[in-house]
Amino acid sequence: MALSNLRRTATIVAMDVPLAACLIGLDVAARLLPHAPNFTPVAASALFAGTILRSRALALTVPLAAMLLGDLMLGGYDWRVMGVVYASLALPAVLGRLGRGRQLMLAPIVLSSSLIFFATTNLAVWAFSGMYPGDLEGLVRCYIAALPFLQNTVLGDIAWSVALFGAWWLAGRVGLARDRETVTRASEAKSGRAAA
């Protein structure tokens, strides 16, 4: 049992940690570079991390570390709103764990993650920012004002999810083709020696 845990840890360190670091770097860079509001890869990379990475903790670390590093450079805001934003961006990592091996689940998870982010973060803005009256009319005004951001969130989450999962699929196909070529060459070399 201890040896299998050691192998699993070694695999995570060798494969998952560099991938997680790349995702965090992508997220931070995308947040710092000019972009349309809410059109960032954070939720998509959280979903990707939850689906691909072997470690649950590492998958959750991706969006949280990306947001923390980005916010350290961009500046913070109301801690209660930040808490809701962080939690809603970590949720796709949890949902990605549930959708592992079920490719048909990815599209509904992406869309639901975008909608949950919209609903929860705008509720937090209404409740904690003081920008809107604390009544039903203020809540409705908050959600109406946020509608343009919903479009960017959905489009960004879809585009970044397609990019990340598509690149992963393509990398797997290229790797598989390379593995097949290596096996074919080895087999040809072996049969060439046998004929000689």
Side-chain angles (χ1 to χ4, degrees), residues 131-162:
M131 293 173 55
Y132 299 95
D135 57 11
L136 182 60
E137 182 183 336
L139 179 62
V140 171
R141 283 182 35 213
C142 178
Y143 279 111
I144 290 171
L147 283 174
F149 298 101
L150 174 61
Q151 176 182 337
N152 286 353
T153 301
V154 171
L155 292 175
D157 290 351
I158 291 170
W160 282 108
S161 293
V162 167

Side-chain angles (χ1 to χ4, degrees), residues 34-172:
H35 62 279
N38 287 21
F39 198 94
T40 65
V42 180
S45 68
L47 174 59
F48 182 81
T51 303
I52 302 300
L53 300 180
R54 292 165 187 85
S55 166
R56 279 181 237 115
L58 192 57
L60 283 170
T61 299
V62 168
L64 298 176
M67 289 301 295
L68 182 61
L69 291 171
D71 285 342
L72 286 174
M73 292 180 229
L74 294 170
Y77 41 97
D78 185 288
W79 65 270
R80 297 165 297 186
V81 176
M82 283 178 71
V84 173
V85 168
Y86 281 42
S88 64
L89 288 171
L91 180 64
V94 174
L95 296 176
R97 300 292 299 177
L98 299 174
R100 287 173 73 109
R102 299 182 204 131
Q103 288 80 9
L104 293 178
M105 291 299 297
L106 291 178
I109 291 173
V110 170
L111 184 57
S112 64
S113 295
S114 300
L115 295 175
I116 290 169
F117 178 85
F118 175 80
T120 58
T121 58
N122 286 296
L123 181 64
V125 166
W126 170 76
F128 303 124
S129 73
M131 293 173 55
Y132 299 95
D135 57 11
L136 182 60
E137 182 183 336
L139 179 62
V140 171
R141 283 182 35 213
C142 178
Y143 279 111
I144 290 171
L147 283 174
F149 298 101
L150 174 61
Q151 176 182 337
N152 286 353
T153 301
V154 171
L155 292 175
D157 290 351
I158 291 170
W160 282 108
S161 293
V162 167
L164 289 169
F165 284 100
W168 185 257
W169 177 84
L170 187 58

Side-chain angles (χ1 to χ4, degrees), residues 16-35:
D16 286 3
V17 170
L19 181 56
C22 287
L23 291 170
I24 292 167
L26 170 69
D27 292 346
V28 172
R31 288 188 70 211
L32 296 178
L33 294 171
H35 62 279

